[in-house]
Amino acid sequence: MAGYSGTKDDYLKRLRRIEGQVRGLARMVDEDTYCIDILTQVAAVTSALQAVSLGLLEDHLGHCVVNAARESQEAGDAKVREAADAIARLVRS
């Protein structure tokens, strides 16, 4: 079971809202909207995606990593490395 299973519907709602924002961005470009207004909306979408990422990361740490650590030291270490790699990818993006 995924760590976010309890909040899956919330994540899906947020992602659908972000999807609508991205469609709005495409519409803005199509309609030749002022560049700064588009960039403002890009920043909003980016922030929304970062919030989803942080929520998923928190769920992963609180569920997957904790459960693996209870299982064994090796399993816990592997999940911590996996989480650290995910954090590194998020920081680079």
Side-chain angles (χ1 to χ4, degrees), residues 8 11 22 42:
K8 182 178 179 176
Y11 282 117
V22 172
V42 167

Side-chain angles (χ1 to χ4, degrees), residues 31-71:
E31 295 171 357
D32 296 320
T33 302
Y34 184 59
C35 302
I36 298 301
D37 294 338
I38 296 170
L39 290 171
T40 299
Q41 291 307 308
V42 167
V45 170
T46 301
S47 178
L49 282 171
Q50 287 171 341
V52 169
S53 296
L54 290 174
L56 287 168
L57 181 60
E58 184 177 348
D59 290 342
H60 179 70
L61 293 171
H63 179 265
C64 302
V65 173
V66 168
N67 287 343
R70 287 182 183 140
E71 194 178 300

Side-chain angles (χ1 to χ4, degrees), residues 1-15:
M1 178 181 276
Y4 60 84
S5 293
T7 55
K8 182 178 179 176
D9 289 339
D10 293 335
Y11 282 117
L12 289 171
K13 285 178 196 173
R14 291 172 90 180
L15 289 168

Side-chain angles (χ1 to χ4, degrees), residues 64-84:
C64 302
V65 173
V66 168
N67 287 343
R70 287 182 183 140
E71 194 178 300
S72 72
Q73 179 71 39
E74 295 79 24
D77 290 345
K79 287 293 181 188
V80 167
R81 275 192 306 277
E82 181 182 62

